[in-house]
Amino acid sequence: MLTYMRNIGIMAHIDAGKTTTTERILYYTGKSHRIGEVDDGESIMDWMEQEQERGITIQSAATTTYWKRTTRGPQYQINIIDTPGHVDFTAEVERSLRVLDGAVAIFDAVRGVEPQTETVWHQAERYRVPCIGYVNKMDRVGADYFQVLEDVTAKLNVRIAAIQIPIGRENGFEGVIDLIDMREIRWASAEGEMLLYSPVAAERKALAAEWREKLIDALSQVSDAVTERYLSGEDPEPDLVRGELRTAVLKRDLLPVLAGASRRNIGVQPLIGAVVDYLPAPDEAEPALGHHLKKEEDIQVPCAPKGVPLGLVFKIQNDREAGGLCYIRMYSGSIKPGAVLYNIGKKKRERANRILRMHSNKSEPLDELCAGDIGVVIGMKFAQTGDTIGSEGWPVILEKMQFPEPVISISIEPKTLSEQEKLKEILTLLAREDPTFTTKENEETGQLIISGMGELHLDVLVTRILKEYKVGAKVGNPQVTYRESVSKTVEKAASFSRIIAGKENAAALTLRVEPLNRGSGNRYTCAVKNRDIPESVYGAIERGVRGAFASGIILGYPCIDVGVTVTGIRYAELTGSEFAFEACASMGVDDACREASPILLEPVMAVDLICPKESVGDVIGLVTQRGGQVASIESKNQLDEVKASAPMAKMFGFMTSLRSASQGRASFTMEFSHFEKKSEKNY
């Protein structure tokens, strides 16, 4: 039953404890019989060799577990996706949140809201994913639960509803006070399996009453039922509080927050209970948005197990034995092994040879994948991330995911000619798996150029090529991926004429090229409306223009923020071919852009640094030496957070300098912010 199903993601900044918490959830729900530790390289969810060596999550891993709160209560199916925290793998978070109904946001009790926490929070907001919060690492030196709550309120602009407060902190952290049932919870055994409940101690009653009052106050602002009880002087009973809190979470009006220390096995069982209590079942989440191709209108897709099959491919993973694993979230209907599916966007028929339920890198066969569930289909040849799978009779395309463009490139070439084709095949496989990884061949040098989101992203991919696929390859130094644009408006007439196979192919156009606001993307407009000109010609002109955008102006980097308007078309029925108009449009845009004062744009990165207070001066000096600008400095306990922006070309090797300046105590994250004009003249 959908009522007893939850699709959740675990999201946070790197090293906040996502995988550690997930490992405990699997242990306490009986899915695993030992607790896998990230630090020992024995985590179940971090199954890739690279993840175990580096101690970080690289690929989002899916698993399914079952939870019974009481022996006589219902059994809940919880589909969990553990997402990466590093900014270079933000696409993994993006595609996971796109298909999840709820999420657990984990905050570090010492560092509070970190840079990547904000990024994933905004991703969750974009897909309107209801969340609950969990303040982890309460046992660490400098842990401050109440400071984290203030940080979350200020930075994420969300209304907090603390449903627990900690008993003690740092080494003295021993449990939590449940503000709904007003009782203390402690964990008796070393592995945290036994929970001990007791009344709130006298010395903590005042603090518990204060935070209980804050919880009821926050709830009364969004619940009439709680407000009535509050005004009448009655204390709302626990079931009413839970019910109204659930309603508020589903509407994204409140963020319930819990506390714990997952590494010490404290706080995880109440978190599992909160997932069941407050996060939505698939049929309670907002209906998916789709576009009906025949009716040309947007529609809502209700979660109906008996409806027409419709699902979204949100991840592709290559398996050496099984081939492509297509992770699918079903939104309507169901599919069975052997069924013929229809790739609606590509208009191709596919076959679901097998359907699997994944548990990290292990699997078990499924007889049916129903609406609301997540599974893996084996046998689809054409599917890519973002494709909609359904039936020909109901051509609805689900809302696609948007991924950032790669901003860093390196060259890679095989050590021997015999490995060249194998390397190209592997790069194609990796590009199919990862939508933020691209590969192309430089026509002039013949080099293979691969591009990604950052140095770590490309390092992981190259290591996989060398170790996992065992291909000998030489790798070049990282290079920044620049962009080209124009700085003034130019109107130009273009013509094309060629005799091919004895037939004249001719075309003539007038077009205007203009600069657009930075970040608005390229825009193509055709201002000519003439019924005597075939639709195929209009399509050929658009292909020519968009092809010119991709091929660049002078240095061959892709164009951005350029507007092209076709203002005139001279068409002759005897000589006007599609080929001629496509070539004419491409050459016309190229010539016009060269006259429109072309400029070179470089990627500027948003840099977030966390460093000890005594090192902040040296760290700021490092940033400014590399052409960076400091935007803000914020104090957090013993640490300072510095937000800055810097050109990517000057940030290579920054980690080595940062460690040297801070005795290895500082860390930073960097993500693409925007493109801006390169200061020195390169044309």
Side-chain angles (χ1 to χ4, degrees), residues 568-642:
I569 301 175
R570 261 205 337 267
Y571 170 75
E573 192 174 346
L574 293 175
T575 58
S577 64
E578 286 182 45
F579 163 74
F581 275 98
E582 186 172 342
C584 182
S586 181
M587 292 163 62
V589 170
D590 197 42
D591 291 343
C593 286
R594 286 172 182 268
E595 293 179 17
S597 300
I599 55 174
L600 186 67
L601 302 173
E602 66 175 344
V604 174
M605 311 302 284
V607 185
D608 283 280
L609 304 107
I610 305 242
C611 63
K613 291 183 183 295
E614 59 268 23
S615 305
V616 72
D618 294 335
V619 168
I620 290 171
L622 279 180
V623 173
T624 52
Q625 282 169 24
R626 292 172 181 255
Q629 294 182 329
V630 174
S632 67
I633 304 172
E634 184 183 341
S635 290
K636 288 184 174 183
N637 296 333
Q638 299 102 2
L639 300 168
D640 279 352
E641 181 182 356
V642 179

Side-chain angles (χ1 to χ4, degrees), residues 226-281:
V226 172
T227 304
E228 285 175 17
R229 293 290 177 92
Y230 187 67
L231 292 175
S232 64
E234 296 178 40
D235 190 31
E237 59 269 20
D239 287 346
L240 175 65
V241 172
R242 287 193 186 90
E244 294 302 302
L245 190 53
R246 177 181 180 79
T247 303
V249 172
L250 298 190
K251 292 179 180 176
R252 290 183 55 84
D253 288 337
L254 287 177
L255 177 72
V257 182
L258 301 91
S262 298
R263 189 78 170 78
R264 278 180 53 195
N265 308 319
I266 297 176
V268 177
Q269 292 95 326
L271 178 63
I272 305 170
V275 165
V276 166
D277 286 342
Y278 307 122
L279 294 181

Side-chain angles (χ1 to χ4, degrees), residues 47 62 109 124 134 185 202 229 277 362 485 525 563 578:
W47 57 271
Y134 176 64
I185 309 174
R229 293 290 177 92
D277 286 342
K362 298 180 175 63
S485 193
T525 312
E578 286 182 45

Side-chain angles (χ1 to χ4, degrees), residues 494-513:
S495 60
F496 176 88
S497 179
R498 292 282 191 282
I499 295 174
I500 300 170
K503 183 180 183 302
E504 185 181 0
N505 292 263
L509 298 168
T510 310
L511 45 84
R512 183 174 67 251
V513 166

Side-chain angles (χ1 to χ4, degrees), residues 134-282:
Y134 176 64
V135 180
N136 190 25
K137 302 192 176 183
M138 280 303 305
D139 56 328
R140 280 187 59 198
V141 175
D144 190 336
Y145 179 78
F146 304 107
Q147 180 60 47
V148 173
L149 296 186
E150 289 181 22
D151 209 21
V152 170
T153 305
K155 289 187 175 176
L156 303 184
N157 192 27
V158 62
R159 191 181 290 147
I160 291 292
I163 58 176
Q164 290 179 353
I165 57 172
I167 302 172
R169 52 184 278 193
E170 300 179 351
N171 286 336
F173 178 63
E174 55 184 85
V176 297
I177 297 175
D178 181 346
L179 297 174
I180 296 177
D181 291 313
M182 287 304 279
R183 60 184 178 178
E184 294 186 353
I185 309 174
R186 286 177 175 78
W187 280 258
S189 59
E191 294 192 334
E193 293 163 289
M194 189 182 297
L195 278 68
L196 299 178
Y197 300 96
S198 59
V200 178
E203 66 270 21
R204 287 185 282 272
K205 274 189 176 177
L207 184 64
E210 178 193 340
W211 280 92
R212 162 82 177 186
E213 185 82 9
K214 288 181 180 180
L215 169 62
I216 300 302
D217 182 50
L219 204 48
S220 65
Q221 294 180 43
V222 294
S223 165
D224 292 339
V226 172
T227 304
E228 285 175 17
R229 293 290 177 92
Y230 187 67
L231 292 175
S232 64
E234 296 178 40
D235 190 31
E237 59 269 20
D239 287 346
L240 175 65
V241 172
R242 287 193 186 90
E244 294 302 302
L245 190 53
R246 177 181 180 79
T247 303
V249 172
L250 298 190
K251 292 179 180 176
R252 290 183 55 84
D253 288 337
L254 287 177
L255 177 72
V257 182
L258 301 91
S262 298
R263 189 78 170 78
R264 278 180 53 195
N265 308 319
I266 297 176
V268 177
Q269 292 95 326
L271 178 63
I272 305 170
V275 165
V276 166
D277 286 342
Y278 307 122
L279 294 181

Side-chain angles (χ1 to χ4, degrees), residues 353-490:
N353 294 336
R354 287 193 289 155
I355 300 177
L356 306 174
R357 166 98 60 214
M358 296 304 291
H359 177 48
S360 189
N361 62 331
K362 298 180 175 63
S363 63
E364 57 187 63
L366 269 183
D367 295 330
E368 189 176 29
L369 186 63
C370 295
D373 211 346
I374 292 172
V376 163
V377 171
I378 292 178
M380 299 204 296
K381 296 177 181 176
F382 306 104
Q384 288 179 297
T385 299
D387 283 359
T388 303
I389 301 298
S391 63
E392 293 180 62
W394 197 42
V396 173
I397 287 190
L398 292 163
E399 183 186 10
K400 285 206 168 187
M401 293 166 270
Q402 300 297 322
F403 297 111
E405 287 192 34
V407 290
I408 181 171
S409 303
I410 56 173
S411 62
I412 186 168
E413 55 185 71
K415 286 186 176 177
T416 61
L417 281 173
S418 60
E419 291 183 303
Q420 186 155 0
E421 284 307 312
K422 187 179 178 184
L423 177 61
K424 286 184 179 179
E425 285 175 18
I426 290 161
L427 292 177
T428 304
L429 281 175
L430 292 174
R432 190 180 176 215
E433 276 189 17
D434 186 347
T436 57
F437 170 68
T438 60
T439 175
K440 68 176 181 180
E441 191 168 348
N442 188 311
E443 293 178 5
E444 293 177 5
T445 64
Q447 276 186 317
L448 283 168
I449 307 294
I450 59 175
S451 305
M453 297 302 298
E455 288 182 271
L456 178 62
H457 186 203
L458 288 181
D459 185 29
V460 166
L461 289 165
V462 167
T463 308
R464 286 187 67 190
I465 292 167
L466 300 176
K467 285 189 174 181
E468 192 177 315
Y469 293 100
K470 295 181 172 55
V471 175
K474 292 181 281 187
V475 180
N477 292 324
Q479 301 291 325
V480 175
T481 303
Y482 294 97
R483 296 289 187 270
E484 295 183 90
S485 193
V486 297
S487 56
K488 72 176 187 180
T489 302
V490 166

